[in-house]
Amino acid sequence: MIETLLPDLIHLRATLSSTARMLYDRRMLDSAGGNLSLRTAPEADTVLMTARFQGAKLRWQIGPDDLLLVRISEAQVLEGEGELSRETLMHLAVYKAFPEAGAVIHAHPVHLMPFVSAGLELPPMSEQTDKFGPLRFAQPARQHSQELADAVVEALAE
């Protein structure tokens, strides 16, 4: 299966690594955390995922070869160097709960973190965003845990 995806994987790897660099440059990711994953094909059982410590070690200046190919159903690394992200459970729970999900971005936007830390909803900031109402967050749960993965899925289900 992996061989049949090879041409697409090259493009997807380039896209995901350039997206990580862009998100860091725009202060949506920080050096302390966050991670990204991208499903390799609609409803596929594999994703490309950033490895652990990409922010801390590389300041998100990653390339296509820095990504892991991971089997969703088993949390198994099929290709790539490095450890699975500590938030792999959260990514995989989203893919399992929402088969239509094509990507997961776990970000730490610099202007949003104060609201999350204070447990406050983010109110709409303009007429254009009024229709969406306040931005709510997942219920607090221990980081890197199945409880957090479940809380994120529950929040997204709304």
Side-chain angles (χ1 to χ4, degrees), residues 4 14 22-23 28 30 46 48-49 53 57-58 71 75 81 83-84 87 89-90 92 94 99 104 108 115 132 138 152:
T4 62
M22 179 197 62
L23 288 171
M28 300 295 284
D30 60 23
T46 52
L48 289 170
M49 182 178 286
F53 300 126
K57 291 182 179 177
L58 301 176
R71 187 176 315 279
E81 302 280 327
E83 295 177 55
L84 284 170
E87 297 300 357
L89 291 175
M90 179 176 58
L92 301 185
V94 170
V104 175
H108 294 185
F115 287 89
F132 300 114
V152 169

Side-chain angles (χ1 to χ4, degrees), residues 23-24 26-30 107-115:
L23 288 171
Y24 181 76
R26 294 182 180 175
R27 301 182 73 189
M28 300 295 284
L29 292 172
D30 60 23
H108 294 185
V110 66
H111 298 295
L112 187 60
M113 294 308 291
F115 287 89

Side-chain angles (χ1 to χ4, degrees), residues 5-154:
L5 293 174
L6 189 56
D8 291 335
L9 280 180
I10 292 169
H11 173 71
L12 293 175
R13 285 178 179 279
T15 299
L16 190 59
S17 60
S18 66
T19 300
R21 293 189 305 272
M22 179 197 62
L23 288 171
Y24 181 76
D25 291 345
R26 294 182 180 175
R27 301 182 73 189
M28 300 295 284
L29 292 172
D30 60 23
S31 297
N35 45 39
L36 292 79
S37 63
L38 178 65
R39 198 183 293 264
T40 57
E43 300 188 27
D45 189 35
T46 52
V47 294
L48 289 170
M49 182 178 286
T50 53
R52 189 172 181 189
F53 300 126
Q54 299 298 283
K57 291 182 179 177
L58 301 176
R59 303 294 187 261
W60 291 106
Q61 302 309 299
I62 64 173
D65 294 335
D66 294 313
L67 300 170
L68 305 173
L69 181 65
V70 178
R71 187 176 315 279
I72 296 170
S73 58
E74 300 168 18
Q76 174 191 14
V77 176
L78 301 174
E79 287 181 12
E81 302 280 327
E83 295 177 55
L84 284 170
S85 162
R86 294 178 294 182
E87 297 300 357
T88 296
L89 291 175
M90 179 176 58
H91 284 254
L92 301 185
V94 170
Y95 291 115
K96 290 173 185 175
F98 306 102
E100 69 279 10
V104 175
I105 298 175
H106 165 202
H108 294 185
V110 66
H111 298 295
L112 187 60
M113 294 308 291
F115 287 89
V116 174
S117 297
L120 300 173
E121 294 180 346
L122 181 66
M125 300 304 221
S126 68
E127 284 182 26
Q128 293 84 0
T129 59
D130 281 345
K131 61 187 167 202
F132 300 114
L135 180 61
R136 292 180 285 281
F137 308 107
Q139 290 297 311
R142 190 172 45 84
Q143 59 185 343
H144 325 306
S145 68
Q146 185 61 50
E147 293 79 22
L148 179 59
D150 295 342
V152 169
V153 167
E154 182 179 325

